[in-house]
Amino acid sequence: MTNAEAVDLGHRVLTPNYKQQPIALVRGEGTRVWDADGRRYLDMLGGIATCALGHCHPAVRAAAEAQLGQIWHTSNGVYNLPSLRLADELCRRSFGRRVFLCNSGTEANEAAIKLARRFHFAAGAEERVEIVCAVGSFHGRTLGALAATGQPKYQKGVGPMPAGFLHVPFGDEAALRGAIGPRTAAVLLEAIQGEGGVRVAPRGYLAAVRKACDEAGVLWIADEVQTGMGRTGTLWAYEQEGAVPDVMTLAKALGGGLPIGAMIATEKAGAALTPGTHASTFGGNPVACAAAVAVLETIEREGLLQSCRDAGEYLRGRLYELRRRVGERVVEIRGRGLLVGVELSAEAAPVVARCRELGMIVNLASEKVVRFAPALNVELPDLDEATDILERALAA
Ligand SMILES: *Cc1c(COP(=O)(O)O)cnc(C)c1O
């Protein structure tokens, strides 16, 4: 099948909910991907921050293949060993002591919302149901996570939204304190608003969130679906803020590109999900869990947190140079580690399309922002090439 045939079939058989580039990717290796016509691209998106080790990393592939030869799925009525190993590794490497495994970011957030409400219910505070979220946030597309998402465009035409979600300006401590009250169950925030345009919380904000939550007796849920797994240069973005959440949600890079999500909680918060209160048929899938364990081990073994910090600094340096050359077409360069947003003065969609024509995959994070989220082991010459392609796309 060629790209043109794939596009044609896609137009006929898929629901038209995605704005898709007119190519089908058929193969990937490291930071390179190939389309159905045999054309090669530099992948600076890593499947939207999922393929944290690049495409088809041998360690992840070996782990998944070994598990495929053992057992593919069990019910949650029994234990499976890869899910136990993964939960244990996640607890060892974070504040967490209890893990719920699922299949996506939105599911991880649904679990966190339910956990927060049940936490207070179990303590006799049934009125504590409200979740305070941020304007411009993104938490997923199922109805609870969508109600938490602070971007009305995603909610249009699919209401009514579940009740109990409030939105305050991101990074504004006073607004957050004003919104927390006797009905609040939790505060749900990203450390960096990824989909919202790679907007980094101001220094000190998350520490202030921690303090406000402690004073009011509410839970802080950190949505690290996009920022987790080393993306910002530490395994979890909260580590750079000197503040520790009660609950953290993960997905995107957790399985290195295989579908998996997780909600991680403290002992006290996690205890709220008592038997029967939550479940997922595929949650804890042994193949996905085996891959995720390999991703964690590889990040450690290959020193990829340091690589990510160095590469991120290098990329931002190259982008600042680019901005000096192209002037006000680049408004701002934001991000941490290898989650980088380049805000343009105009719509970024034509620039993203032009980058693809020039052989590089990136995408939009809000209308005017080009997002880079390459593999954590991306090499510096790739970043030179990426900057060069972006500059040529801007010139066109
Ligand atoms: C992508 C994303 C989600 C949703 O994840 P899905 O796997 O698409 O459901 C939730 N939160 C954040 C911060 C994300 O970036």
Side-chain angles (χ1 to χ4, degrees):
M1 203 185 284
T2 63
N3 282 329
E5 286 163 352
V7 169
D8 182 56
L9 186 57
H11 283 161
R12 283 188 283 123
V13 299
L14 299 177
T15 56
N17 53 307
Y18 298 110
K19 283 184 200 148
Q20 288 170 309
Q21 303 279 328
I23 55 170
L25 295 179
V26 296
R27 189 163 77 81
E29 197 184 310
T31 54
R32 302 288 160 169
V33 288
W34 285 262
D35 74 15
D37 294 346
R39 189 148 183 248
R40 190 177 89 139
Y41 301 83
L42 172 60
D43 185 3
M44 288 299 288
L45 187 60
I48 312 196
T50 56
C51 302
L53 306 179
H55 294 273
C56 298
H57 191 286
V60 182
R61 181 176 167 178
E65 281 179 353
Q67 190 57 43
L68 277 170
Q70 293 295 320
I71 190 163
W72 295 9
H73 190 245
T74 69
S75 83
N76 280 306
V78 295
Y79 292 100
N80 82 65
L81 301 185
S83 72
L84 291 171
R85 271 201 70 197
L86 175 60
D88 193 30
E89 296 293 336
L90 287 170
C91 289
R92 282 172 199 274
R93 290 171 168 80
S94 73
F95 69 90
R97 290 296 170 267
R98 297 276 169 181
V99 177
F100 171 77
L101 293 166
C102 53
N103 312 285
S104 67
T106 202
E107 283 175 70
N109 284 327
E110 295 288 342
I113 293 162
K114 284 179 68 175
L115 174 139
R117 289 178 173 175
R118 281 208 56 92
F119 174 80
H120 295 290
F121 179 83
E126 286 174 41
E127 69 287 356
R128 286 199 179 269
V129 297
E130 284 177 359
I131 314 290
V132 179
C133 314
V135 173
S137 61
F138 184 82
H139 299 295
R141 301 289 201 140
T142 56
L143 285 168
L146 186 58
T149 292
Q151 301 190 62
K153 66 179 180 189
Y154 294 127
Q155 301 171 348
K156 215 171 142 193
V158 296
M161 287 294 116
F165 295 85
L166 272 68
H167 295 90
V168 296
F170 184 57
D172 182 336
E173 184 191 338
L176 183 85
R177 283 185 175 271
I180 294 175
R183 291 177 49 78
T184 309
V187 171
L188 168 58
L189 293 169
E190 298 156 271
I192 298 177
Q193 292 188 329
E195 302 304 305
V198 190
R199 295 182 191 281
V200 184
R203 284 279 173 211
Y205 178 60
L206 293 180
V209 169
R210 175 70 279 170
K211 195 152 175 280
C213 287
D214 284 343
E215 285 167 18
V218 310
L219 300 178
W220 167 27
I221 304 165
D223 180 342
E224 294 241 17
V225 168
Q226 188 155 163
T227 52
M229 297 299 284
R231 174 61 45 199
T232 69
T234 47
L235 199 52
W236 322 116
Y238 73 76
E239 292 174 65
Q240 296 173 48
E241 299 299 325
V244 179
D246 302 291
V247 180
M248 164 168 82
T249 54
L250 301 177
K252 290 203 166 83
L254 180 56
L258 292 188
I260 181 168
M263 180 198 65
I264 297 169
T266 59
E267 180 71 42
K268 199 170 160 215
L273 285 191
T274 51
T277 54
H278 201 47
S280 163
T281 295
F282 281 117
N285 173 271
V287 180
C289 288
V293 170
V295 173
L296 281 169
E297 287 174 349
T298 305
I299 288 174
E300 209 151 87
R301 192 179 58 248
E302 297 187 358
L304 294 183
L305 298 178
Q306 187 63 48
S307 308
C308 173
R309 289 194 287 270
D310 294 345
E313 200 163 309
Y314 185 80
L315 174 60
R316 278 190 298 277
R318 295 307 311 261
L319 291 169
Y320 284 124
E321 287 165 25
L322 175 151
R323 185 172 66 166
R324 282 197 287 279
R325 290 192 297 271
V326 305
E328 58 249 26
R329 261 170 306 160
V330 171
V331 174
E332 199 174 25
I333 294 149
R334 296 192 289 264
R336 283 220 184 112
L338 281 169
L339 179 57
V340 175
V342 180
E343 181 163 343
L344 306 181
S345 55
E347 297 267 307
V351 176
V352 166
R354 189 79 191 118
C355 284
R356 193 237 324 136
E357 287 160 12
L358 291 168
M360 174 169 76
I361 309 281
V362 285
N363 84 340
L364 295 178
S366 84
E367 273 102 67
K368 291 184 177 173
V369 178
V370 178
R371 168 172 33 197
F372 291 86
L376 305 183
N377 51 9
V378 65
E379 310 235 339
L380 302 190
D382 287 343
L383 301 176
D384 292 334
E385 187 182 337
T387 315
D388 182 52
I389 292 177
L390 178 64
E391 186 160 359
R392 284 194 283 143
L394 284 169

